[in-house]
Amino acid sequence: MSNPPRAASALDPAIAARLKRDRDGLFPAVAQSHDTGEVLMVGWMDDEALHRTLTTGRCTYYSRSRQDYWVKGDTSGHIQRVRSVALDCDGDTVLVKVDQVGAACHTGDRTCFDAGDLPVTVPHTAAQ
């Protein structure tokens, strides 16, 4: 995948300096329900998507397949209103706590992580 052409971002330089991006200038963004703690979805952001998220109060992601920005809910009505944004300790992932209106998943489900748990075969005592 080559670096998609994107406009320069107005992201605060102090925030931009803390970010670690992949070779395409992207980093994962985990959307979590602010009140229940439920992980809703994972999307991708670049500096401009993060800037838009921080300044509009609506989650903006970067679509790797369309190579364009998208605001969650603009077409579906299933919007994410931003409550808080945090950068992880390594600077390579953001956690966006949101008020989720409707489904978060493109399948129409509340969360993208409801396809069933995978079997864990490590005995509980071994993990201690």
Side-chain angles (χ1 to χ4, degrees), residues 36-100:
T36 67
E38 179 180 34
V39 175
L40 300 170
M41 61 172 278
V42 175
W44 292 91
M45 290 186 179
D46 65 0
D47 290 25
E48 180 59 21
L50 180 56
H51 169 71
R52 293 180 189 188
T53 298
L54 292 169
T55 59
T56 66
R58 297 270 311 276
C59 284
T60 301
Y61 299 97
Y62 188 81
S63 169
R64 296 174 298 167
S65 60
R66 293 182 307 228
Q67 295 192 355
D68 201 7
Y69 298 100
W70 59 280
V71 178
K72 182 68 174 167
D74 270 1
T75 57
S76 67
H78 300 163
I79 63 175
Q80 292 175 339
R81 292 188 184 99
V82 177
R83 297 291 294 255
S84 67
V85 180
L87 185 60
D88 80 337
C89 60
D90 296 321
D92 61 2
T93 305
V94 294
L95 175 64
V96 186
K97 293 188 179 181
V98 300
D99 281 321
Q100 178 69 48

